[in-house]
Amino acid sequence: MKVRLSKRDMLEAELMARDTVFMLEKLSVSPRLENKNQSRLDANIFGFMAEFAVCRVLGAEPPRLNFATDGGVDLWLGDVTIDVKYTSRKTSKLIFDSVDKFKSQVAILVTATDNMDVMEILGWCSKGRFIEDSYGKDFGYGERLVMDADKLQPIEQFWLKYTQSKFL
C-alpha cells in the first residue's frame, strides 16, 4: 500500500531526524552501521517518514522523539505495540539483530518510492510469525535474523484484524 505524506508529516519527520542526529553527535554516539549510500540524517528522516506512513494508515498517534531508547516500540495502536522498520530496497527483508530485539507484538516493513513524499508499506508480521519464518544471514557485520518481504502479510489484513478485535 502506498501512502502520500502531508507536508506537515514530511517536516515533522525531518525535524525529528535532525534533533536525533544532533543529540547523538553531541553525545559522540557512533552511527549504528556505516552506509555509503545514505547519511545518518537521511536514514533517520526515512525512518520517521515510515512511522508517519504507518500511523496515518492505521489511525495511530504520530511518532514521538525518544533520545535514549524507544524500547523497541515505535507506535501504539490501542494496546498493540508496533516496530516500524524502514528498508531502502523494495526487495529487502525485515531484519532484527536477534529475537530479543523484536520487542513489539508486530513489525511493519516500509520502503520509499520514486516520489519523495510517498512511502510504501510492504507488509507486517507478528513476533511469533517472525520467529517461525526468519532465518540467519550475515550481511558482513554479524549474523542477523531476516524474513523475506514476500512472506509478510498485507497491511490491510493487519488493519482488518485489529479493527475486528475492537468489536469482539
Side-chain angles (χ1 to χ4, degrees):
M1 169 181 278
K2 291 184 180 176
V3 180
R4 184 174 308 279
L5 298 177
S6 69
K7 289 179 182 178
R8 180 178 181 171
D9 289 346
M10 296 285 291
L11 179 60
E12 289 290 330
E14 181 180 348
L15 295 176
M16 291 170 71
R18 288 188 184 283
D19 287 347
T20 299
V21 170
F22 175 80
M23 289 302 295
L24 292 174
E25 287 174 350
K26 289 295 179 195
L27 296 170
S28 300
V29 175
S30 299
R32 186 171 179 272
L33 298 173
E34 292 298 324
N35 186 336
K36 299 174 200 155
N37 301 322
Q38 191 175 63
S39 73
R40 185 182 213 178
L41 178 61
D42 287 341
N44 277 278
I45 290 172
F46 281 116
F48 284 119
M49 286 172 59
E51 291 176 17
F52 274 103
V54 170
C55 82
R56 295 307 180 215
V57 166
L58 298 178
E61 289 185 29
R64 299 181 332 192
L65 185 60
N66 299 293
F67 288 111
T69 180
D70 62 12
V73 177
D74 293 318
L75 302 173
W76 287 85
L77 188 61
D79 285 335
V80 178
T81 55
I82 301 170
D83 192 346
V84 177
K85 295 291 190 178
Y86 171 77
T87 181
S88 60
R89 287 180 285 259
K90 205 174 193 178
T91 58
S92 193
K93 302 163 185 335
L94 178 62
I95 303 170
F96 282 92
D97 292 344
S98 67
V99 170
D100 291 339
K101 296 288 184 172
F102 195 138
K103 302 279 188 194
S104 291
Q105 295 163 284
V106 170
I108 299 176
L109 187 61
V110 180
T111 191
T113 67
D114 292 335
N115 296 322
M116 185 60 183
D117 62 343
V118 177
M119 302 298 283
E120 184 171 2
I121 300 174
L122 298 176
W124 73 281
C125 75
S126 66
K127 182 175 182 175
R129 174 103 186 266
F130 182 80
I131 291 169
E132 289 175 16
D133 291 348
S134 65
Y135 57 92
K137 183 170 174 80
D138 190 337
F139 294 95
Y141 45 85
E143 189 168 284
R144 303 294 189 262
L145 291 174
V146 300
M147 183 174 176
D148 297 326
D150 64 356
K151 300 280 187 198
L152 298 172
Q153 296 176 308
I155 193 65
E156 296 88 348
Q157 287 182 4
F158 176 74
W159 176 87
L160 180 62
K161 189 174 186 174
Y162 174 75
T163 301
Q164 287 174 332
S165 75
K166 293 190 312 186
F167 301 106
L168 295 178

